Amino acid sequence: MADSQAFDVVVIGGGPGGYVAAIRAAQLGLATACIDDWTRDDGKAALGGTCTNVGCIPSKALLQSTENYAHAGHGFAEHGIEISGLSMDVGRMLARKAAIVARNNDGIAYLFRKNEVAFFHGRGAFAGRDGDAWQIRVEGAKPATLTARNVIVATGSAPRALPGVAFDNVRVLDNAGALAIPDVPKRLGVIGAGVVGLEMGSVWRRLGADVVVLEALPVLLGAADQAVAKEAAKLFAKQGLAIVLGVHIDKVTVGRSDVTVDYTDRDGARQTAKFDRLIVSIGRVPHTAGLDADAVGLKRDARGFVEVDDECRTNLPNVYAIGDVVRGPMLAHKAEEEGVAVAERIAGQQAHVDFNTIPWVIYTWPEIAWVGKTEQQLKQEGVDYRTGSFPYSANGRARALGETSGFVKFVADAATDRILGMHVIGPWASELIAEGVMAMEFGASSEDVARIVHAHPTLSEATKEAALAVDKRTLNL
Ligand SMILES: Cc1cc2nc3c(=O)[nH]c(=O)nc-3n(C[C@H](O)[C@H](O)[C@H](O)COP(=O)(O)OP(=O)(O)OC[C@H]3O[C@@H](n4cnc5c(N)ncnc54)[C@H](O)[C@@H]3O)c2cc1C
């Protein structure tokens, strides 16, 4: 007999959107439950969703391990450090990654206990409505029925497969498979040069795989500033990451020990490539399976995203949806901010998410990060702007680090000098971009950033110099 419990808020999905929403709702004094169905190999709950289990966290763990390996192999000699017999134990690297993931899973469970969020391990589905309360069924080892006035759908996304080519995670890998390859493939194919494709391609390239990335679009990183994309293409080529643009995939044939990809290149010529494994990273689709969304008439758009307004309200009363399952960038921090905002709205507060200042990061080496508009976007919009760039090759700290590739670039309104975008390719771009986000949130001008004291010697001085460059008055170039 399933027990029934009443809450103010039930959150379905315990990824970064859902678990953060649940914590914030509980902090605001709302009786909150979160249901999540992710399960570890040992049968235990694994809170944190895609991000923690097969996304942000494990990918960064592998990127760090392989960056260390690459630096030890190629970057240490100039410091006078000679290493002989350098080797990589892939098993240990994967075990480290798994331990980091488990620590994060357990950390979220601890946060739930600390904030008194009731956690239910299993699948959550709409079961009906009783007065103004929604009934939610929990299907799992301990079935339950929950009731709540407010429901937050945070069921995330799933990898998109190539039509007719199912993921088997042996030869044809999704993100989970790409993060768990047990040994370094000799020939690795990657379809899709987006964030995931470039990050995963980098991981296995650094370990010695011959990596070929096949991308349908005619340009690399179309959403990034094109100066950044151009620099990235140059640096990736130097690292041996072969990126083929403008391809059309004709056929993928999965063999016992390899995968054959037939494609047409940008010149219309037919090509064939054979790989030991193939990562397919062509985007993700919203995940609503198992939610019984139709039973209650939860509206989705033609692509399967739950339809929401600017405040994440769905077509159903007091039912909200956040994160990857709704429109907007599929990023963990976007999901989190939507979660916080929705919890605050439920508690009667005014909340706001500024979609113009959501930072993007690609954790290749060097890293790529940006916030706001690119030059090409501003041109299209007919906005008059000025730019300022500063290369890391002229930054003292970057020289000391031995990381002189890349630059920082600002775009600012020509009339008001208000910062419209910041673009970085270089060491620790992921950390440096926070200054641009902060500046934009506060409506800063490039002169504001240029007049702020930046510690010396730091990479952030390149940010200050790029801001100075908008007014053509760099000091160190
Ligand atoms: C390889 C990779 C690397 C990435 N790296 C980054 C990065 O560096 N930075 C970044 O910002 N983003 C990154 N992302 C994207 C990020 O992972 C997602 O944007 C983020 O996880 C979305 O959060 P979410 O809460 O909306 O959904 P999810 O994280 O997908 O969580 C949804 C949860 O809901 C559960 N669920 C679904 N349906 C039900 C149901 N009916 N009942 C119960 N539970 C259910 C799912 O099992 C899952 O646990 C990466 C993604 C991938 C694939």
Side-chain angles (χ1 to χ4, degrees):
M1 177 77 182
D3 75 297
S4 170
Q5 297 178 49
F7 294 92
D8 296 319
V9 183
V10 167
V11 184
I12 307 177
Y19 91 75
V20 167
I23 289 174
R24 186 69 189 122
Q27 280 177 349
L28 291 164
L30 298 161
T32 305
C34 180
I35 311 166
D36 188 83
D37 63 358
W38 206 292
T39 307
R40 272 205 294 249
D41 289 345
D42 61 7
K44 290 204 179 121
L47 273 161
T50 302
C51 170
T52 302
N53 291 296
V54 291
C56 326
I57 300 300
S59 60
K60 267 79 256 179
L62 295 191
L63 281 158
Q64 190 58 52
S65 296
T66 57
E67 251 161 51
N68 290 348
Y69 179 70
H71 283 158
H74 312 298
F76 281 7
E78 66 163 307
H79 295 268
I81 303 168
E82 297 290 347
I83 299 177
S84 55
L86 184 70
S87 67
M88 186 72 180
D89 181 338
V90 173
R92 253 163 83 181
M93 176 181 80
L94 295 179
R96 174 183 180 272
K97 176 209 69 171
I100 292 167
V101 168
R103 239 181 116 182
N104 279 273
N105 297 143
D106 296 346
I108 299 167
Y110 159 76
L111 291 172
F112 275 6
R113 288 194 298 276
K114 182 181 159 206
N115 289 282
E116 298 183 8
V117 173
F119 173 56
F120 293 83
H121 184 209
R123 176 171 289 182
F126 283 100
R129 192 151 162 79
D130 182 11
D132 70 350
W134 292 101
Q135 293 170 320
I136 307 293
R137 202 171 53 242
V138 182
E139 297 158 359
K142 290 188 189 157
T145 304
L146 315 183
T147 58
R149 191 176 138 78
N150 305 283
V151 177
I152 305 175
V153 175
T155 48
S157 61
R160 181 195 301 278
L162 275 172
V165 190
F167 293 114
D168 59 13
N169 276 341
V170 178
R171 298 283 150 223
V172 182
L173 315 175
D174 62 15
N175 53 301
L179 288 160
I181 303 177
D183 43 26
V184 182
K186 211 172 143 5
R187 303 158 304 175
L188 177 68
V190 180
I191 299 188
V195 179
V196 174
L198 291 173
E199 290 185 2
M200 291 299 97
S202 293
V203 162
W204 297 104
R205 171 68 205 136
R206 289 169 191 161
L207 298 183
D210 282 332
V211 179
V212 177
V213 185
L214 301 171
E215 166 61 46
L217 291 175
V219 291
L220 180 66
L221 296 174
D225 188 274
Q226 281 311 288
V228 168
K230 220 168 123 193
E231 180 77 359
K234 205 174 75 194
L235 294 170
F236 293 152
K238 221 165 120 189
Q239 292 166 14
L241 205 56
I243 301 175
V244 190
L245 299 171
V247 306
H248 179 270
I249 305 294
D250 299 315
K251 196 165 146 214
V252 174
T253 313
V254 182
R256 263 158 64 107
S257 58
D258 57 18
V259 188
T260 307
V261 180
D262 293 309
Y263 65 94
T264 308
D265 69 18
R266 66 193 313 166
D267 301 320
R270 292 284 174 86
Q271 305 285 355
T272 296
K274 257 192 196 311
F275 303 110
D276 301 311
R277 298 184 196 262
L278 179 71
I279 297 172
V280 176
S281 48
I282 55 170
R284 298 179 65 81
V285 291
H287 177 84
T288 51
L291 196 58
D292 261 358
D294 289 333
V296 287
L298 180 68
K299 236 179 164 176
R300 277 145 295 153
D301 68 16
R303 293 187 299 156
F305 289 96
V306 175
E307 273 189 16
V308 286
D309 66 10
D310 287 350
E311 301 203 319
C312 294
R313 293 174 207 278
T314 68
N315 64 310
L316 302 176
N318 303 322
V319 176
Y320 300 81
I322 59 170
D324 279 12
V325 80
V326 303
R327 72 330 176 224
M330 287 187 167
L331 292 169
H333 41 282
K334 176 263 193 185
E336 289 179 26
E337 292 307 321
E338 285 182 333
V340 167
V342 163
E344 292 179 352
R345 278 175 204 131
I346 291 171
Q349 298 187 354
Q350 297 294 325
H352 175 68
V353 179
D354 187 351
F355 288 97
N356 298 311
T357 54
I358 293 177
W360 290 81
V361 181
I362 306 175
Y363 296 81
T364 46
W365 197 261
E367 293 178 343
I368 297 167
W370 72 91
V371 59
K373 299 275 168 95
T374 61
E375 262 198 80
Q376 58 269 25
Q377 276 174 316
L378 293 173
K379 269 189 198 131
Q380 251 177 23
E381 292 169 15
V383 176
D384 237 359
Y385 63 89
R386 295 192 299 167
T387 68
S389 298
F390 191 82
Y392 282 111
S393 57
N395 173 274
R397 186 71 191 279
R399 286 183 190 147
L401 284 171
E403 297 289 349
T404 50
S405 301
F407 56 84
V408 182
K409 171 176 173 178
F410 277 107
V411 282
D413 188 281
T416 65
D417 192 35
R418 188 181 174 132
I419 295 169
L420 301 175
M422 175 178 169
H423 305 272
V424 189
I425 175 165
W428 297 109
S430 56
E431 302 294 336
L432 294 168
I433 200 64
E435 186 174 0
V437 177
M438 174 92 90
M440 286 185 65
E441 271 294 323
F442 283 91
S445 63
S446 74
E447 187 183 351
D448 289 329
V449 173
R451 286 189 183 276
I452 291 171
V453 183
H454 289 70
H456 175 76
T458 58
L459 297 172
S460 70
E461 285 174 294
T463 304
K464 179 190 172 90
E465 290 277 1
L468 280 166
V470 175
D471 199 32
K472 301 198 178 358
R473 54 188 189 97
T474 52
L475 295 165
N476 286 287
L477 190 67

